[in-house]
Amino acid sequence: MKSTCLFFMLISFLSWSQNKQILYGFSEIPQSLLMNPGGKVTNDWYFGIPLLSHIHVNAGTSGTTVYDLFANDGLDFNLKLGKAIYSMQANDFFTVNEQLELFSGGFAIGSSYNKDQYISFGMYQELDFIGYFPKDYAILAYEGNQSNINRVFDASDFSARGELISVLHVGYNKKVNDNFTMGVRGKIYSGIMDINSTKNRGSFVTVNGTNNFYDHIFNLDLQVRTSGLSAVTDDNVSSDKVVSDIKKGLFLGGSLGLGFDVGFTYQLNKQWMVDGSLQDVGFIGHSKDVENYGVKGNYVFEGVNPIFPETGSGQTAEEYWDEIENEFEDLFEVDTTNTKYTTWRPIKLNASLNYAFGKKRDKECNCLPDDDGYQNAVGLQVFTINRPKQPQMALTAYFFRRIFKGLQAKATYTIDSYSFSNIGFGLSANIGSMNFYIMADNFLEYQNIYNAQSVSLQLGFNYIFKKNED
Amino acid sequence: MQKSVFKYLIIVVSFALATISCTKDVDFNQANDILLTPVFESDLVYINVPANKFLVEGHEVLNLKDSVNIDFFQDEFIVDYLVKAEFMLETTNTINRAFTVQVDMFDAFNQLQHTFSFSSGASPNNGEVVTQHIEVFEGNSLVALKNTTKLVFTLTIQPGEPINESTPGRIILKSKGTFYLNIDSLL
């Protein structure tokens, strides 16, 4: 009970998503190929500065913000807590997504006069968590069952998953013709840690009874599956061992899985362009260090019925009571198994429609304008991610501008589960061959970061080589 | 030229992020003020006995007695957070005999911690005579409850019209506990 309460609180703090709406389609940044392997390639080769080439954190809550709960406003904390519990729904969620690129690179291949293919590769580490607000559990803990007779508490309200993985990937991009580019990226996942509890079923309800005041009806089918967790939960394990286990897991020593990304870009005419991609179509087979916990059973409790002695010889209700205790123990007994299991990666779908305009007027050069000749672009992007309860969607409108040579900026406006007022901004700057980019969203909320429903930040450094610098 | 633009850009961006991402006053220590006050109700015991249950080999017995061992009240969670409890007992009598229900609560060393009883009137025409008793556990009696590991129920028939195999009616007892919790810490 206590740890349940603590868990509610913890997930309320760790409220974080994983849309990278600013990076998507930002073809000057090599990492945009990770979002669409069939995106446009604008360099001949590049490598990411190790550990610094792509740092991404993204956090969001569709419900109560940290500020709602912890503002130093003199209001009673418990009133605020109650308000948060009642205002949130079971579909409200908290997510965290973090990625760190360990290394990456890419190079064009093909005939020397027409390098129409591009190989990119790399390795990144990713942490992904989503937890839904366990509304019915929270209400039960907050109110008890006295004021909730006949209310069915839904056990499926508890739904969460988290994973720590590393991904080794190689992508192939081919410019099929002047208008069409496509690409695919193969991925090997190494699951370092995984915990998921997304298929809980059942209910608890107290109804008016016949033999006694109530019938307490338990119907539970709960399951938590974990892999790689004992490395950190086992008390006897030293921190050195934990670090070495994580390192091993990072470099394909964990539970392995396979997946792919696929995408395309199609130039409708000089100014209009559509693209789309699917990311992380794949699975991880959890086989290492698997521990699963399950609680399953049905029981109706209506109190203890002492069997009064038939003969007055002192026979007691002990046996009957033992039976009830056994029933309860059976019901709540946690079955621990080591059965291997498979998780699917959260599939992401991206698509966008883009319009470029405003040609650069170059007085000195009379060279042929390539398709980068437009200085501005506007467009609409759609992002969808498959989540345990239901997919999450985001719609983004953007404005892209080449400010001057080697400096591009993109501003976005996004509508999603978190808010209708998400303004994002990103910059990519090239100084010689060094590329630096930084992007963040929810700028309107930065006046008070604790009140943000979601924040997202990406930055990185690359070394980019272009033969035909524009 | 380009290098200085780049430097300038980094400074501007980091300055912008540092200044615009300010925070308003929050106080995470408020979590220490947490107080959850759920109220749970649970069935306790129930009894449903016909009049002839009081006959043993043709002779009337005055006492029906039975005990229930229970370690629920000694659970750490209950000891820490239970601030008040109420037992509600309800009898429905359709036998033409008055009776008394007595509940004795014993600790692990078989020492009596608390006792309470109540009586129901007889039912001369076998209509339902409903009697309710609420036992409140607060202060000392709450301490007694938290020490309790055994409950002994005694049903004592008061003198009256003799009972035989065909005596109509029965005694029904229903009971529930109401548990008031004050959860004031998360750890």
Side-chain angles (χ1 to χ4, degrees), chain A residues 401-417:
Chain A
R401 168 83 185 169
R402 288 176 217 280
I403 298 172
F404 51 83
K405 189 178 169 184
L407 181 64
Q408 303 90 29
K410 184 176 175 182
T412 59
Y413 170 74
T414 302
I415 297 172
D416 57 21
S417 322

Side-chain angles (χ1 to χ4, degrees), chain A residues 136-156:
Chain A
D136 280 11
Y137 293 78
I139 294 282
L140 187 59
Y142 192 75
E143 294 182 359
N145 67 342
Q146 187 193 42
S147 53
N148 289 299
I149 304 305
N150 295 326
R151 172 172 177 154
V152 178
F153 290 96
D154 188 347
S156 72

Side-chain angles (χ1 to χ4, degrees), chain A residues 2 70-72 78 80 141 143 145-146 212 214 216 302-305 307 316-318 321 431 446-447, chain B residues 2 6 20-22 24-27 30 33 35 38-41 43-46 66 69 77 81 175:
Chain A
K2 271 184 276 188
F70 288 102
N72 198 358
N78 291 298
K80 289 188 282 188
E143 294 182 359
N145 67 342
Q146 187 193 42
N212 207 337
Y214 297 127
H216 305 285
E302 51 181 9
V304 183
N305 181 207
I307 306 160
T316 71
E318 281 304 285
W321 175 242
I431 307 298
Y446 275 56
Q447 291 159 20
Chain B
Q2 276 191 330
F6 192 47
I20 59 176
S21 65
C22 62
K24 285 188 184 166
D25 196 13
V26 294
D27 178 12
Q30 290 178 84
D33 302 338
L35 181 64
V39 182
F40 287 92
E41 292 206 337
D43 286 327
L44 296 174
V45 301
Y46 66 97
D66 209 338
N69 280 345
F77 184 78
Y81 299 131
S175 64

Side-chain angles (χ1 to χ4, degrees), chain A residues 51-85:
Chain A
L51 300 174
L52 293 176
S53 53
H54 187 62
I55 298 168
H56 159 80
V57 281
N58 196 332
T61 170
S62 63
T64 297
T65 66
V66 173
Y67 188 71
D68 289 339
L69 208 51
F70 288 102
N72 198 358
D73 51 9
L75 294 176
D76 182 353
F77 176 71
N78 291 298
L79 289 178
K80 289 188 282 188
L81 181 65
K83 202 174 152 196
I85 289 173

Side-chain angles (χ1 to χ4, degrees), chain B residues 29-92:
Chain B
N29 287 328
Q30 290 178 84
N32 296 333
D33 302 338
I34 193 168
L35 181 64
L36 303 180
T37 56
V39 182
F40 287 92
E41 292 206 337
S42 170
D43 286 327
L44 296 174
V45 301
Y46 66 97
I47 297 164
N48 187 337
V49 285
N52 61 20
K53 200 83 174 185
F54 291 91
L55 283 180
V56 174
E57 292 164 356
H59 300 288
E60 219 178 282
V61 286
L62 294 180
N63 278 330
L64 290 184
K65 187 183 252 188
D66 209 338
S67 64
V68 173
N69 280 345
I70 190 160
D71 49 18
F72 171 74
F73 302 119
Q74 301 210 311
D75 186 274
E76 196 189 340
F77 184 78
I78 296 294
V79 171
D80 288 351
Y81 299 131
L82 183 69
V83 292
K84 184 186 168 187
E86 285 171 10
F87 285 3
M88 150 99 143
L89 292 84
E90 182 186 280
T91 55
T92 305

Side-chain angles (χ1 to χ4, degrees), chain A residues 108-266:
Chain A
I109 54 172
S111 56
S112 56
Y113 58 92
N114 181 22
K115 293 199 171 180
D116 57 355
Q117 296 159 74
Y118 194 85
I119 303 285
S120 57
F121 58 89
M123 187 176 205
Y124 64 89
Q125 161 276 328
E126 177 171 355
L127 170 78
D128 188 49
F129 171 83
I130 181 165
Y132 288 90
F133 177 62
K135 173 122 185 166
D136 280 11
Y137 293 78
I139 294 282
L140 187 59
Y142 192 75
E143 294 182 359
N145 67 342
Q146 187 193 42
S147 53
N148 289 299
I149 304 305
N150 295 326
R151 172 172 177 154
V152 178
F153 290 96
D154 188 347
S156 72
D157 274 8
F158 188 86
S159 181
R161 69 176 285 191
E163 60 183 351
L164 177 63
I165 63 170
S166 74
V167 184
L168 181 67
H169 60 86
V170 177
Y172 174 74
N173 178 291
K174 178 161 173 68
K175 191 167 185 178
V176 178
N177 58 43
D178 282 349
N179 297 326
F180 186 62
T181 304
M182 54 169 237
V184 63
R185 181 177 307 284
K187 291 178 163 178
I188 300 174
Y189 304 112
S190 176
I192 302 162
M193 277 179 219
D194 181 77
I195 177 163
N196 70 81
S197 183
T198 56
K199 293 198 168 80
N200 297 315
R201 301 276 175 275
S203 61
F204 165 69
V205 62
T206 299
V207 297
N208 290 312
T210 46
N211 288 328
N212 207 337
F213 286 110
Y214 297 127
D215 285 345
H216 305 285
I217 303 169
F218 298 86
N219 166 19
L220 300 175
D221 184 0
L222 310 176
Q223 194 181 39
V224 178
R225 302 185 298 186
T226 73
S227 80
L229 213 61
S230 68
V232 287
T233 53
D234 198 335
D235 291 339
N236 299 322
V237 173
S238 70
S239 56
D240 289 352
K241 176 89 164 63
V242 172
V243 171
S244 82
D245 277 2
I246 289 177
K247 270 189 196 155
K248 209 168 68 187
L250 209 51
F251 294 100
L252 303 183
S255 295
L256 296 180
L258 287 174
F260 67 90
D261 302 348
V262 61
F264 75 96
T265 303
Y266 188 70

